[in-house]
Amino acid sequence: TTYTPNIGLQLGLCADIAIYKKLFLTVDALFLTKSFDSKQPVFANSELSITESQSTLDMPLSLKWLFGKNKFKFFVRAGLNTSYLLASSAQMIRSSGTLVDFQGAEIDLKMQRSILNLSPLLGAGIQYKLGYGYLFFDARFAYGMTNISDAQNRYNYFDTQ
C-alpha cells in the first residue's frame, strides 16, 4: 500500500497574550482540510485507489518565546493541539490498467473516526512588525498522540447507515 498526501487548506485566527517580556501564550482557532490517497493492489492486474478527505477545527495552545531586537524577530513554540473532526469521507475506485472497473459513491467515514484528537506541537518562525500588527511565517510539527480511527466503530459502516 502506498500513501500520498494531497494539498489542504488552513484558515484561522491567532492571538498572542504576553506573559513575560518575550514569552507569550498563543491561542489559535483554525479550520483545516486534509486529504490523502492510498493505493493497494487487489488482484494481479487490479488496483484499489482511495481518496480520504477530512475537515477539522483545530485549537492549538502554545508558549512562544521571541528573540531578536529589530523589526524581524525569531521565535520558537511548544504546546498542545486539540483537533475536532467536522467531516470525513472517502471515494473508492477500482481499476485494471487504464480502465475504471468500479467507482462507488462517496462514503461518510465520520463514524469510523475519533472525533477529538490531541497532538503535542513544536514550531519555529519569524515575525515582522507591520503597523500595529505582525506579518509572520510559522512552521509547526504536530505528532498525533491519539488514533484517528475509532477502534469500536472501525468496521461498522453498514451498521450505521
Side-chain angles (χ1 to χ4, degrees), residues 12 18 21 30 32-33 37 45 47-49 59 61 74 80 83 85-86 88 103 105 121 124 126 129 141 146 151:
K21 294 178 185 177
L30 306 170
L32 284 85
T33 61
D37 295 324
N45 63 347
E47 179 179 73
L48 180 63
S49 301
M59 293 145 287
L61 183 65
F74 297 93
L80 182 69
S83 183
L85 181 67
L86 300 172
S88 181
Q103 181 171 348
L121 71 90
I126 187 169
K129 179 80 170 143
F141 174 77
T146 52

Side-chain angles (χ1 to χ4, degrees), residues 80-144:
L80 182 69
N81 184 56
T82 304
S83 183
Y84 180 79
L85 181 67
L86 300 172
S88 181
S89 63
Q91 176 72 49
M92 296 183 203
I93 299 172
R94 189 182 73 202
S95 58
S96 300
T98 58
L99 300 174
V100 173
D101 296 334
F102 173 78
Q103 181 171 348
E106 191 170 84
I107 299 170
D108 183 1
L109 296 177
K110 189 172 179 182
M111 293 295 294
Q112 286 80 21
R113 301 291 176 250
S114 295
I115 300 298
L116 197 60
N117 292 289
L118 299 173
S119 306
L121 71 90
L122 296 172
I126 187 169
Q127 68 183 36
Y128 176 74
K129 179 80 170 143
L130 192 64
Y132 291 109
Y134 294 93
L135 180 64
F136 63 92
F137 173 78
D138 189 3
R140 299 181 188 185
F141 174 77
Y143 180 79

